[in-house]
Amino acid sequence: MAAAGQATGSGVPETCSLELILEALKLLLSPGGSGSSSLQITKHDILLATLKSNLSALEAKFLKDPHWKRLKLLRDEIANKAEWPQNSVDTTWSFTSQTLLLLLCLKETMIHLAADFNSGQPNPRTPEVAPALSPDTLSISQQKTVQSVLQFIVTLGVCPYLIPGVGVRLKDRTEFGAVVQDVVCLDAAPDATRRLYTSCSVLLNIAQHASLGSLIFCRHFGDIAAGLCQLGFCPSKKNALKPMEEVLNEEERALSRRALKDILDQVYQPLAVRELLILQGGPPQSCTDVKTQIGPRAPAWLRRLCGQLLSERLMRPNGVQAVVRGILEGAGAGAVGGSDAEATAADWKKCDLIAKILASCPQQSLSPESYYRDICPQILDLFHFQDKLTARQFQRVATTTFITMSRERPQLAAKYLLQPVLSPLHQCLNTAEIPESDMAPGTILVTEEELSRCIEDVFKVYVVGNEPLNVLMDSLLPVLNLLFSLYCFTKQSVSHIRSLCQEILLWILQKLERKKAIASLKGFAGLDRSLPSLHCLCQFRAATQGGIMITIKEAISDEDEDEALYQKVSSEQCQVEHLGDLLSHCQECGLAGDFFIFCLKELTHVAVENEAELKTQPFSSKSLLELEQYQTLLVEGQEQKLLILQLMAVLCERMSEQIFTNITQVMDFVAATLQRACASLAHQVESTVESQTLSMSMGLVAVMLGGAVQLKSSDFAVLKQLLPLLEKVSNTYPDPVIQELAVDLRINISTHGAFSTEAVSMAAQSTMNKKDPEGRREEQQQILYERHADGGRSHLEQQQSSEKSNQTGLRSNPPLIPEEVNETNTTTDQESGSITRERLQEVLLSAYDPQIPTRAAALRTLSCWIEQREGKALEMQEKLLKIFLENLEHEDSFVYLSAIQGVALLSDVYPEKILLDLLAQYDCSKDKYSPETRMKVGEVLMRIIRALGDMVSKYREPLIHAFLRGVRDPDSAHRASSLSNLGELCQRLDFLLGSVVHEVTACLIAVAKTDREVQVRRAAIHVIVLLLRGLSQKATEEEDGVETEKRIFQSSLGSRFPDHTGVASATSSESRNRKQPGFFLALPHVLLSFAKRTIHPWTLPSNSFP
C-alpha cells in the first residue's frame, strides 16, 4: 500500500512544532457553533454544519495567522505528494482527508524531532536524575487528542464503507455512530471502496511510527483488519453498480492482503485472535448508549478467511497461549488474571469452546499427527504457569483440552500428551532399560522438579478432569504400583505431593473396573509381583524443597546385607499398613469390602491347602537345580500366606463396621466363611474360633432374613448361592444346633422368607442382642438383677452355661458381672455428651459377655470413647481400669489385645495413677498372676512408654527398677520379656540412665554369665549390644568395663554362639574407636545374624504382641 501511503519525502522544507499541529487537530474537533457540549449528541444537520465550520476555520487560520505558515507549507507539501483524492462534495470525506493530512504532518514532525535529539552523556554526579525525554514524546492530553482524531477517522473514513456482515456496524456501537451512518454520502466521488483503501493505507503509514502505531492498533485494530479483509479478499458482486476490480487493481488488492498479514504478525497475538473471532461472527463489543442489536451474519468468504487466519495464529510459536488468552480476554473477563478471572475460570462453556478449537485439526496442517506433535507441548505448558489466577484459568483450559483430545483421538493423545506427562515414572519402572551412563550409584534419575510436575499434571488431568476414559485409565495402570510406592514413601515424612498421590490413587481405584481394581490392590500388597514396579536399582530420596527425587541405589556391601534385608521387610510391612489407610477411604464405593472378601477367600485357600503338597519328594528323584527351585517356590508360597494373614489383620483393624455396602458382599462374606468351615471339617480341624465365626456368619444371614434388611427378589437370587454350602454344613458339621440352623436357613431362603422357624429367629436375636428394642434390654437387665439377688447359682453352673454358649454361638444368658458395673451414676445424666447413660451401661455389660466378638467389640468401644475424651466414660475410670485388667487374663488374643489397648489409652489420660498400679501388678508374685498376664501388663507398660515420648524420663526410676526385679523372676519367659522391655526403655530414654547405669550393667553382666536359660542370656546380650551402641564416647572409653564384657561374652557363650560373641566384641571395639555413638545398626545385625546362623529362632515373649 505504498502508493497511497507515500505522502512524505525528503524535500520537506521545514517542520513545525508538535503543539501547533495538535492545536490544528483540536480546531477540527471543536464543537463550533452548535451550542452543544459534545459532538456525540448532535443530529444530521448540526453534524454537517459543524464539520463545514471547522474546515473553514482551519483554512482561515492558515491564511490569516502567520504562525501557521509553516504548518500550511508542510501540509501542502504532503498533500501534493499524496495520490489519493482529498476534496469531495461529501463533507465527511473532506473532513477525513484533512485529519489524515494533519496526522501525516504530525508523524513527519515527530520523526525529525527524534532524529535531531541528542540526550547527551549522563552526569555521574547525579545518576539518580531521570534522563531527558525525547522531544517527540506526547503528553497524556496530547495522546487523548490524537485518540479522538483517530476515532473520527475510523468512524467517518472506515466503518461506513464496510459491507454488511464485515465488522461491527456503527449503529450497534453508539448513537453517534448511527448518526454518522446516515450522514455519509456514498454516491459522491470518490468511490466508497477507494475511500476505504485510502483511509486504511494512510493509517498504516502513520502506524509505522511506534508511538502513533500503539495508539492506532490498541483501539482500532479490528476495524482496520476488517477493511483490509474486504479490500483484499471480498469477491465482486454480480449486481454491483461498480465492481471492485474497476476501483482497485490487482496490485492494490495484493498490497491489502500483504498488509493484513503484516499487521497480524506484528500486533499482540491475543488481540489478533480476539478481533478475528469477532470478524468471524463472535459477540460484538458492548454498547452503553443503545441496546446491542444482532447484526447480519458474516459472509461465508469472511468466515473461511478468519478460520484460516486463526489456524495460522494457532500454528505459530506460543500460538495455543495466544488463542487461549484471546478467547478469555475477549469473553468479558478483561485481562487474564484480572478481577473477573474467577468468573471466567468457573465458566466451563468457554473452556469447552477452546478445547474444541484446539482439538480440531486445521486444514493447513499436513496431518493430524503433525498437528498434535506441534500443539501438544504447548498444551502441556499451560499447566505450569506460576501466577495463581492465570494458572487457574489456563490449567482448566488445559485439562478440558486434554480430555477432549483423549476422547476424539486416543492414540495420538496417548503418544503426544500422556507419554510426556508420565515419562518421569516410566523411566524408573522395572520394565525400562536404564542407560549405562545413568547407572552410577547416587545418580539422580528423576529430579525433584520433574517428579513434582509429573504428579501435579497427573492430578490435574485425572482427578480435576474426572473423566474415566479408557486411554487415560490404560496409560496410568502401568505406573500405579510406582505411584503407591511413592505414596508410601511420602508417609514417612512431610511432603506436598502426599495428598496428590493419595487423591490420584483413590480416584483410579474407584473408577477402575472392580476386577482391575482388585488386581491393582494385589500389586500394592505384594501378592502379585508380575505388575510393573520401581526398578530394583532405583530408590526414592527426600529432596530439599519438600519433594521427592529418584536416584540410583548405592552398592550394598556384604556387611550391609542384613541391614538391607531388614529395611526391605520393614518397608513391606509399612506398605501393608498404608494400604489399609488407603482402603479406609474406599468403603462407601464397596471396594474395601470386595478386597476384604478377596483376602478372606485367599485365607480359606491357605487353610485348605493340602498338606501332601508341602511334603518334599525324595531327594534322589530331583537334581540340585530342581530342588533349589522347589524350595524357592515353597518359600514364596509361605511369604504369600504370611502376607495374607498380615493383610487380614490390618484390614480388620482399620476397616469400620460399614465395610459391606450391599447384599452381594454380605453373601460373599458368608460364603467364604462357610467354605472355610467346610474345609476345616474336611481336614478334621475344628476349633472354637471356627465355630464362633460360623455362628456369626449364619446369624448374619438370619438377621437379613428376619427383616433387618428389606430383601427383594434379586436379593434372594443372590442368597440362593449359599444353598449348596448350607446343605454341606447341615450334613457334615458335628454340632446339632448348627446343623438345624443350616437346614432352617436353606428352607427360609428357598421359600423367599415364607417359612421361618424359631431357630432362625433366635439366631437373629442373638446376633442383634445389643440392638434390640428398649423393652427387651430392660427385660435382660431385670433378669440380670434377679440373678444377682438370688446368688444361688454355683460357679460350676456359670462355667457350664458359658461353655455351652461358646459352642452354639446362639442364645446365651448374661454372665455374672460385678455389681459396680450395674451401678448408675446420677450425676452423669445431667451432663451433656454424645453417649447416653443407657448406652454406657450396655457397653459395660457387654464387656463381660461370654461371646468373644461381643466382648472384644465392647472393649474396643470403650477404648474409642477414652480416646475421644468422652466425659461420661472418663468419670468411671476406676471401673474401666478394672474391666480392662480383668480382661487381660482372657486367653483369646482378640480380647486381651483390646484390653491392652484400652489400658494404654486410659493411662494416656491418667498416667501417674494408672502407671503405678500397672507397675505394682507387674511386680506381683507368680501365685497372684500368671506369667502370661504379667507379660501382657509389660506390653501395656511398653505402649505407655512409647506414648509418653520424652516425658518417660519422669518415670525412669520406677520403670527401670520394675524391669530389673523382673529379671530375677523365677519364670524364664518373664525374665526374657523384662530384659527386652529394659532394652527398649533404654532406647526411649536415649540411654540417659542416670545413677542406675551401674545397676543395669551389673545386672546384665550377671545374667549373661550365670543364667541357666539360653533364651534369657540371648536377651541380655541383645540389651548389652544396644547399650554399647548407644552410650556416649565417654562411657565407652572405660577400658576395663569393655574388656570385662568381652571376657563375659567369650566365657558364657563360648563356641555355642560365636556370632553373638563377635557382634558384641565388634560393637565394643567400634564404640571405643568411634567419636560419635550410634545404636541404630545394632538391632538389625543381631536379629538377622542370629536368624541366619542358629537353629532356634530368637523370640521374646513381649514382642509377640502386635
Side-chain angles (χ1 to χ4, degrees):
M1 307 185 74
Q6 288 178 355
T8 62
S10 60
V12 176
E14 200 172 1
T15 60
C16 57
S17 64
L18 293 179
E19 291 77 8
L20 190 61
I21 300 176
L22 291 169
E23 186 178 352
L25 291 173
K26 286 183 180 179
L27 182 61
L28 284 177
L29 298 182
S30 61
S34 63
S36 63
S37 60
S38 176
L39 288 178
Q40 277 74 9
I41 62 174
T42 59
K43 300 299 181 181
H44 302 76
D45 297 336
I46 299 177
L47 175 59
L48 289 175
T50 302
L51 295 178
K52 291 179 181 179
S53 174
N54 291 345
L55 287 173
S56 300
L58 179 63
E59 291 298 331
K61 199 74 172 175
F62 281 145
L63 294 175
K64 297 180 181 179
D65 194 339
H67 296 90
W68 288 54
K69 184 177 180 181
R70 293 182 179 178
L71 178 58
K72 183 178 183 304
L73 292 175
L74 180 60
R75 186 198 66 168
D76 294 341
E77 179 71 18
I78 294 175
N80 293 332
K81 293 184 178 182
E83 298 179 358
W84 40 272
Q86 303 166 18
N87 298 320
S88 174
V89 178
D90 188 2
T91 306
T92 58
W93 177 246
S94 298
F95 182 85
T96 303
S97 299
Q98 291 302 317
T99 53
L100 288 174
L101 289 174
L102 289 177
L103 284 179
L104 287 172
C105 294
L106 179 64
K107 174 201 170 186
E108 187 68 23
T109 302
M110 293 174 69
I111 291 175
H112 281 277
L113 290 175
D116 298 337
F117 173 67
N118 184 11
S119 60
Q121 297 296 329
N123 190 353
R125 297 182 179 179
T126 58
E128 70 278 2
V129 177
L133 286 175
S134 176
D136 66 336
T137 304
L138 298 177
S139 65
I140 296 177
S141 61
Q142 291 172 343
Q143 290 181 14
K144 290 182 178 179
T145 301
V146 175
Q147 288 175 351
S148 300
V149 172
L150 291 173
Q151 185 176 356
F152 266 94
I153 293 175
V154 172
T155 304
L156 297 175
V158 176
C159 295
Y161 312 117
L162 297 176
I163 63 177
V166 178
V168 182
R169 296 182 302 179
L170 276 176
K171 63 180 182 180
D172 293 337
R173 304 186 187 185
T174 61
E175 185 178 355
F176 176 71
V179 174
V180 171
Q181 188 71 46
D182 297 333
V183 169
V184 174
C185 182
L186 299 177
D187 297 333
D191 188 80
T193 303
R194 176 58 63 181
R195 295 184 189 184
L196 177 62
Y197 180 82
T198 300
S199 299
C200 292
S201 60
V202 174
L203 286 175
L204 291 178
N205 186 7
I206 298 170
Q208 292 177 2
H209 192 279
S211 299
L212 297 177
S214 62
L215 295 176
I216 293 174
F217 290 136
C218 70
R219 294 283 185 90
H220 308 290
F221 173 79
D223 294 322
I224 297 176
L228 293 175
C229 289
Q230 179 175 321
L231 293 171
F233 298 92
C234 178
S236 299
K237 295 183 179 180
K238 296 181 179 180
N239 55 356
L241 297 178
K242 198 171 186 180
M244 184 173 293
E245 288 79 2
E246 298 181 7
V247 181
L248 297 178
N249 55 38
E250 185 60 31
E251 182 181 358
E252 290 174 332
R253 288 172 62 88
L255 287 175
S256 300
R257 292 191 288 268
R258 191 181 306 118
L260 176 64
K261 182 179 183 302
D262 291 340
I263 64 171
L264 285 175
D265 293 340
Q266 293 172 7
V267 299
Y268 179 57
Q269 290 304 297
L271 174 63
V273 171
R274 181 183 65 186
E275 296 299 336
L276 288 174
L277 287 173
I278 294 176
L279 283 177
Q280 197 177 27
Q285 298 175 1
S286 60
C287 176
T288 57
D289 295 338
V290 296
K291 294 183 179 180
T292 302
Q293 301 177 4
I294 301 177
R297 188 182 181 187
W301 63 267
L302 182 60
R303 294 197 301 270
R304 291 192 298 268
L305 174 63
C306 292
Q308 295 175 1
L309 296 176
L310 285 171
S311 299
E312 292 177 1
R313 300 305 98 195
L314 180 62
M315 299 296 291
R316 287 168 57 90
N318 297 323
V320 171
Q321 186 181 148
V323 171
V324 174
R325 287 183 181 273
I327 296 177
L328 293 180
E329 292 176 1
V336 174
S339 59
D340 296 331
E342 291 287 343
T344 304
D347 193 348
W348 282 98
K349 293 182 179 179
K350 298 182 182 65
C351 299
D352 292 338
L353 171 64
I354 299 174
K356 291 178 180 178
I357 293 175
L358 297 179
S360 301
C361 179
Q363 297 179 355
Q364 292 88 337
S365 180
L366 298 177
S367 65
E369 184 169 2
S370 64
Y371 173 72
Y372 271 62
R373 183 172 55 249
D374 297 335
I375 294 300
C376 288
Q378 299 186 45
I379 295 174
L380 296 180
D381 290 338
L382 298 179
F383 284 122
H384 308 140
F385 280 84
Q386 299 301 321
D387 181 69
K388 291 185 178 179
L389 291 178
T390 304
R392 185 172 301 177
Q393 290 177 293
F394 283 10
Q395 288 169 9
R396 183 160 294 181
V397 171
T399 299
T400 311
T401 307
F402 206 113
I403 299 299
T404 305
M405 287 184 164
S406 300
R407 184 188 301 112
E408 295 183 358
R409 297 186 182 272
Q411 294 180 349
L412 295 178
K415 183 177 181 180
Y416 295 108
L417 287 176
L418 289 167
Q419 186 174 345
V421 168
L422 299 173
S423 60
L425 300 178
H426 279 293
Q427 60 182 328
C428 302
L429 293 176
N430 55 3
T431 56
E433 295 183 3
I434 301 178
E436 294 184 2
S437 58
D438 296 335
M439 295 289 288
T443 302
I444 298 178
L445 204 58
V446 179
T447 63
E448 176 187 10
E449 181 182 1
E450 292 174 346
L451 189 58
S452 299
R453 176 174 291 187
C454 170
I455 299 300
E456 291 171 0
D457 291 350
V458 171
F459 176 81
K460 294 167 188 173
V461 172
Y462 287 83
V463 181
V464 177
N466 195 23
E467 190 76 21
L469 301 175
N470 291 333
V471 62
L472 297 180
M473 313 292 278
D474 296 341
S475 298
L476 195 60
L477 278 178
V479 299
L480 213 52
N481 265 13
L482 182 57
L483 277 175
F484 178 72
S485 301
L486 179 60
Y487 166 72
C488 295
F489 185 81
T490 58
K491 295 280 284 187
Q492 301 176 11
S493 60
V494 179
S495 179
H496 63 276
I497 65 174
R498 179 197 302 172
S499 59
L500 300 180
C501 293
Q502 178 175 329
E503 292 296 330
I504 294 170
L505 290 171
L506 291 177
W507 183 88
I508 188 70
L509 289 175
Q510 293 174 5
K511 299 298 182 181
L512 278 174
E513 297 178 3
R514 194 48 50 93
K515 290 183 178 179
K516 293 184 177 179
I518 296 296
S520 300
L521 291 175
K522 289 171 59 179
F524 295 171
L527 296 175
D528 187 0
R529 302 187 183 276
S530 62
L531 299 178
S533 58
L534 183 65
H535 199 282
C536 60
L537 297 178
C538 300
Q539 65 176 357
F540 296 112
R541 283 184 57 188
T544 56
Q545 301 298 324
I548 308 297
M549 58 183 177
I550 303 178
T551 63
I552 301 297
K553 290 182 180 179
E554 300 288 344
I556 301 176
S557 61
D558 296 339
E559 299 177 356
D560 296 335
E561 287 184 358
D562 294 345
E563 176 69 18
L565 179 59
Y566 174 79
Q567 293 293 340
K568 180 178 180 296
V569 174
S570 176
S571 174
E572 291 176 352
Q573 182 178 0
C574 291
Q575 284 191 353
V576 173
E577 295 177 356
H578 298 327
L579 178 59
D581 294 335
L582 199 64
L583 285 174
S584 63
H585 300 282
C586 301
Q587 298 187 75
E588 294 183 0
C589 65
L591 178 60
D594 289 339
F595 187 67
F596 180 82
I597 294 171
F598 163 77
C599 294
L600 198 62
K601 294 179 179 178
E602 292 295 320
L603 186 63
T604 303
H605 296 160
V606 172
V608 303
E609 187 177 35
N610 190 355
E611 296 181 0
E613 296 179 358
L614 297 178
K615 296 181 180 180
T616 59
Q617 298 180 5
F619 292 162
S620 58
S621 61
K622 291 186 177 182
S623 64
L624 290 178
L625 180 59
E626 292 176 347
L627 181 60
E628 184 178 358
Q629 293 175 350
Y630 180 73
Q631 293 294 334
T632 302
L633 292 176
L634 284 181
V635 171
E636 291 178 355
Q638 294 298 323
E639 289 180 357
Q640 294 283 325
K641 296 174 185 177
L642 293 175
L643 192 55
I644 288 293
L645 294 174
Q646 187 180 7
L647 267 175
M648 288 299 301
V650 170
L651 292 177
C652 291
E653 181 181 356
R654 304 293 173 88
M655 299 298 108
S656 66
E657 58 185 7
Q658 288 85 19
I659 186 173
F660 296 140
T661 57
N662 51 59
I663 298 296
T664 304
Q665 288 183 339
V666 177
M667 187 276 299
D668 291 339
F669 170 74
V670 174
T673 306
L674 294 177
Q675 288 176 354
R676 190 167 69 254
C678 295
S680 300
L681 292 176
H683 288 75
Q684 298 180 355
V685 177
E686 183 182 358
S687 64
T688 305
V689 176
E690 292 291 344
S691 176
Q692 293 172 353
T693 308
L694 185 60
S695 301
M696 179 188 64
S697 60
M698 296 176 68
L700 188 59
V701 178
V703 168
M704 291 191 297
L705 296 174
V709 180
Q710 190 69 27
L711 297 176
K712 303 177 183 178
S713 299
S714 58
D715 297 332
F716 279 102
V718 174
L719 290 174
K720 285 183 179 180
Q721 301 178 24
L722 300 175
L723 295 180
L725 294 173
L726 289 173
E727 182 179 5
K728 190 173 183 180
V729 171
S730 63
N731 295 332
T732 59
Y733 206 80
D735 192 337
V737 178
I738 293 182
Q739 288 182 0
E740 179 184 359
L741 180 58
V743 173
D744 294 341
L745 288 176
R746 288 183 62 246
I747 297 174
N748 198 318
I749 294 174
S750 301
T751 59
H752 286 207
F755 177 81
S756 180
T757 62
E758 184 179 357
V760 176
S761 301
M762 292 174 59
Q765 291 176 2
S766 177
T767 305
M768 299 285 291
N769 58 350
K770 298 308 176 185
K771 297 183 180 180
D772 283 344
E774 192 68 26
R776 178 168 178 79
R777 187 184 300 115
E778 293 177 357
E779 178 184 357
Q780 289 180 348
Q781 293 179 356
Q782 181 66 24
I783 295 174
L784 180 63
Y785 176 80
E786 294 175 358
R787 189 172 294 131
H788 276 291
D790 186 19
R793 186 176 182 179
S794 64
H795 177 70
L796 180 60
E797 293 175 349
Q798 296 175 25
Q799 184 176 1
Q800 291 174 350
S801 174
S802 177
E803 291 176 355
K804 181 179 179 181
S805 174
N806 287 335
Q807 291 176 359
T808 60
L810 302 177
R811 190 173 183 178
S812 62
N813 294 325
L816 186 63
I817 303 174
E819 294 182 359
E820 56 267 19
V821 175
N822 279 326
E823 295 176 359
T824 59
N825 192 343
T826 57
T827 60
T828 307
D829 298 335
Q830 301 174 358
E831 298 181 3
S832 62
S834 60
I835 58 174
T836 61
R837 180 183 61 82
E838 292 79 5
R839 174 61 176 158
L840 181 59
Q841 188 72 13
E842 177 185 354
V843 175
L844 292 176
L845 292 174
S846 300
Y848 291 94
D849 196 290
Q851 292 283 350
I852 291 177
T854 304
R855 176 180 292 200
L859 296 176
R860 295 276 179 170
T861 303
L862 293 175
S863 302
C864 183
W865 287 344
I866 294 172
E867 188 175 9
Q868 296 173 356
R869 300 296 196 270
E870 289 287 352
K872 293 180 181 180
L874 294 179
E875 288 178 359
M876 308 177 67
Q877 55 169 309
E878 296 182 358
K879 296 179 182 179
L880 295 179
L881 179 61
K882 184 176 181 180
I883 291 174
F884 287 136
L885 292 179
E886 290 178 356
N887 280 281
L888 280 180
E889 302 181 16
H890 200 282
E891 61 181 4
D892 191 275
S893 61
F894 196 24
V895 175
Y896 71 70
L897 286 176
S898 302
I900 288 174
Q901 181 185 10
V903 178
L905 290 173
L906 193 61
S907 63
D908 189 28
V909 184
Y910 307 103
E912 295 186 0
K913 180 179 181 343
I914 295 178
L915 187 60
L916 296 178
D917 294 342
L918 291 174
L919 288 174
Q921 187 170 350
Y922 188 77
D923 287 340
C924 287
S925 62
K926 183 178 180 181
D927 299 335
K928 189 172 183 180
Y929 293 103
S930 64
E932 290 79 7
T933 301
R934 287 190 293 159
M935 284 190 288
K936 295 172 186 176
V937 175
E939 172 62 20
V940 176
L941 289 173
M942 297 314 299
R943 292 197 181 192
I944 296 174
I945 290 171
R946 300 184 193 109
L948 286 174
D950 295 338
M951 293 297 295
V952 73
S953 59
K954 180 179 179 182
Y955 310 100
R956 176 181 61 188
E957 303 293 337
L959 286 170
I960 291 178
H961 287 301
F963 292 144
L964 289 178
R965 287 192 294 269
V967 175
R968 297 181 298 175
D969 193 86
D971 185 78
S972 61
H974 187 71
R975 294 199 304 272
S977 176
S978 299
L979 287 169
S980 177
N981 295 339
L982 180 61
E984 184 173 354
L985 176 61
C986 293
Q987 288 180 321
R988 297 289 174 179
L989 291 172
D990 201 14
F991 300 97
L992 300 176
L993 305 183
S995 60
V996 298
V997 63
H998 300 289
E999 298 180 34
V1000 173
T1001 54
C1003 176
L1004 293 174
I1005 292 173
V1007 172
K1009 183 187 298 186
T1010 62
D1011 199 283
R1012 297 183 302 272
E1013 297 292 335
V1014 63
Q1015 183 182 20
V1016 181
R1017 295 201 300 272
R1018 291 171 180 166
I1021 294 173
H1022 167 58
V1023 180
I1024 291 173
V1025 172
L1026 289 180
L1027 289 176
L1028 291 176
R1029 291 284 188 183
L1031 288 176
S1032 63
Q1033 179 182 1
K1034 183 177 180 180
T1036 56
E1037 286 177 353
E1038 298 179 1
E1039 190 74 25
D1040 296 337
V1042 174
E1043 294 300 328
T1044 303
E1045 291 169 359
K1046 287 179 62 178
R1047 289 195 298 271
I1048 291 171
F1049 297 150
Q1050 295 172 356
S1051 62
S1052 61
L1053 300 179
S1055 60
R1056 187 174 182 181
F1057 302 105
D1059 295 317
H1060 285 290
T1061 306
V1063 170
S1065 301
T1067 303
S1068 303
S1069 302
E1070 183 183 357
S1071 300
R1072 291 198 308 272
N1073 296 330
R1074 277 181 315 182
K1075 293 185 179 181
Q1076 294 295 335
F1079 62 89
F1080 61 94
L1081 291 177
L1083 181 58
H1085 280 304
V1086 175
L1087 286 175
L1088 295 173
S1089 62
F1090 194 86
K1092 284 184 175 181
R1093 301 180 176 91
T1094 58
I1095 298 176
H1096 302 286
W1098 182 6
T1099 56
L1100 299 181
S1102 64
N1103 292 337
S1104 61
F1105 301 100

